[in-house]
Amino acid sequence: LEPVLSVDNLSVEYLTEDVSVKAVRDVSLHINAGETLGIAGESGSGKSTLALSILRYLGENGRITSGNIEYHGASILDLSSKELRALRGNEIAHVPQDPNTSLNPSMRVGDQIAEVLRTHRDISRAEAMEQTYDVLREVNIPDPERNAKQYPHELSGGQQQRVLLAIALACQPQLLILDEPTTGLDVTTQAKILDLINELIEERNTSVLLITHNLGVISRIADRVGIMYAGEILEYGSTEKIFESPANPYTQGLLASLPQGDNQRLKPIPGQIGDLTAVSDGCTFANRCEFAEPACRSGSIQMEAVRGESDHLTQCRRWEHALTNPIQADTQ
Ligand code: ATP
Ligand code: MG
């Protein structure tokens, strides 16, 4: 069966004054019908850049330097701007990371949803409004007729997130790209939004690319996961396998840094992502990795199947060692 989305060896750079930032490097992934792929990784690992590349939303200074992106087997990179407009918001919907930039502050939220519908469907204003109320109801907006007439600033952060989801879902896309859908919300609201996303995904059989640095969210919602670091995917495979037997020291470090109980101290990974303008040979995580050996600092490191399993891949010369001596959270 052909994947809904496949990304092959994608590299993306941002040109700044005098240097180029290699924000995504040689990333490959796919999403099957009805499947949710979670992408996690520290701030600056290239998650949003990856998401923006898919619908070619990269800003002026961002460019795809190599690789391919296919939707149902057809290259997105080859589409004309007209074809691209027909895809955006209709077949594939993207909810960007910052809700403030994605809602139009001077337009009633109902009109923003109706506009997306009328861009892609040949329907009257009245029909568009009916469908707008339906989709607002679906995302549990309390009073669709009244709330549709409000401006974004009149809604709470949680309601704004629901409206963004409504805009994304309005045309029933096959693929939904959600970039940190719960940032800035309190814990209770986060949980409600995540439950909603989970329900919607299951009801509609939508494929989802779910980006979050929150591994707890990924473990609850995603079927498969990609762990990103410094522009690369270092571990990729079934959520169950990656959470139960992570084989990459970076993944292990991320999991060990999760709060897991009252008596547990947080154990952050020391150091930070290095300079993305001058990427050197070998593993980019080596300078922070407690398992690193001289061999880790040279050559190009390939993805390997962990224990030969095709649904668990990792890019690490020392995965066998890491698997048998995993980094664990400090308990006391
Ligand atoms: P976060 O978790 O903080 O959202 P992220 O994983 O989404 O981080 P990106 O936003 O994709 O990371 O950024 C990846 C790298 O690209 C970072 O080093 C960032 O500074 C850089 N970057 C992102 N956007 C631009 C831009 N428009 N111009 C130059 N550099 C950029
Ligand atoms: Mg981001």
Side-chain angles (χ1 to χ4, degrees):
L1 203 77
E2 194 176 65
V4 173
L5 180 81
S6 69
V7 172
D8 294 296
N9 306 103
L10 182 75
S11 294
V12 181
E13 295 184 7
Y14 291 108
L15 299 170
T16 59
E17 282 141 45
D18 45 359
V19 289
S20 70
V21 178
K22 294 166 180 61
V24 169
R25 291 182 299 127
D26 207 19
V27 160
S28 297
L29 56 83
H30 70 275
I31 306 180
N32 293 317
E35 192 176 55
T36 296
L37 176 70
I39 298 286
E42 283 167 300
S43 183
S45 56
K47 304 181 297 294
S48 295
T49 304
L50 170 65
L52 291 166
S53 308
I54 293 168
L55 280 173
R56 291 161 53 187
Y57 281 134
L58 288 167
E60 286 242 306
N61 66 333
R63 66 190 174 104
I64 292 172
T65 54
S66 61
N68 202 8
I69 302 172
E70 291 184 349
Y71 176 67
H72 287 294
S75 171
I76 291 183
L77 304 185
D78 292 339
L79 297 180
S80 66
S81 41
K82 190 177 169 211
E83 291 167 324
L84 193 58
R85 274 199 303 277
L87 198 71
R88 289 173 168 174
N90 187 30
E91 302 276 341
I92 306 177
H94 179 192
V95 180
Q97 186 164 6
D98 182 3
N100 299 317
T101 61
S102 32
L103 285 172
N104 181 342
S106 56
M107 195 171 169
R108 297 173 199 277
V109 296
D111 292 340
Q112 299 190 44
I113 300 170
E115 185 180 78
V116 177
L117 281 161
R118 296 196 73 196
T119 302
H120 297 291
R121 304 275 181 274
D122 187 17
I123 52 175
S124 70
R125 269 194 69 81
E127 284 169 316
M129 274 333 276
E130 276 316 308
Q131 291 183 24
T132 294
Y133 299 144
D134 288 344
V135 70
L136 282 172
R137 214 164 282 128
E138 236 185 308
V139 297
N140 300 331
I141 283 283
D143 184 353
E145 272 86 354
R146 189 177 67 84
N147 295 124
K149 294 192 183 62
Q150 293 182 305
Y151 290 93
H153 75 268
E154 298 174 288
L155 301 174
S156 70
Q159 287 171 334
Q160 289 178 4
Q161 283 292 355
R162 290 175 197 274
V163 168
L164 285 173
L165 278 175
I167 292 174
L169 293 168
C171 293
Q172 309 196 310
Q174 285 194 37
L175 175 64
L176 194 56
I177 300 170
L178 301 174
D179 194 347
E180 301 281 4
T182 60
T183 19
L185 303 176
D186 64 76
V187 177
T188 318
T189 314
Q190 278 191 18
K192 285 186 190 152
I193 296 278
L194 289 168
D195 287 345
L196 171 69
I197 290 171
N198 220 355
E199 271 168 38
L200 294 168
I201 295 171
E202 282 180 9
E203 275 165 23
R204 294 177 171 231
N205 202 33
T206 310
S207 304
V208 182
L209 181 68
L210 174 68
I211 293 171
T212 170
H213 60 271
N214 187 332
L215 285 163
V217 168
I218 298 236
S219 73
R220 280 207 285 142
I221 297 186
D223 300 300
R224 287 185 304 114
V225 52
I227 304 290
M228 274 188 96
Y229 181 76
E232 295 179 296
I233 290 185
L234 293 187
E235 190 153 13
Y236 180 67
S238 87
T239 305
E240 206 183 324
K241 285 189 180 157
I242 289 182
F243 278 76
E244 274 171 21
S245 47
N248 193 290
Y250 178 60
T251 313
Q252 294 180 352
L254 282 181
L255 288 169
S257 69
L258 285 178
Q260 280 155 347
D262 293 341
N263 301 322
Q264 203 153 38
R265 280 190 301 179
L266 292 182
K267 186 184 177 186
I269 307 172
Q272 59 191 20
I273 295 179
D275 181 5
L276 294 177
T277 60
V279 179
S280 48
D281 264 6
C283 173
T284 42
F285 185 62
N287 62 338
R288 298 172 69 185
C289 180
E290 57 186 82
F291 299 144
E293 294 182 328
C296 299
R297 300 178 203 277
S298 64
S300 92
I301 301 168
Q302 304 300 316
M303 275 284 194
E304 286 177 42
V306 174
R307 302 184 188 115
E309 290 162 356
S310 61
D311 62 346
H312 188 180
L313 306 176
T314 196
Q315 187 176 304
C316 173
R317 290 212 205 286
R318 303 219 65 208
W319 67 261
E320 284 172 300
H321 176 81
L323 202 59
T324 44
N325 306 275
I327 298 164
Q328 272 157 352
D330 287 334
T331 38
Q332 27 166 230

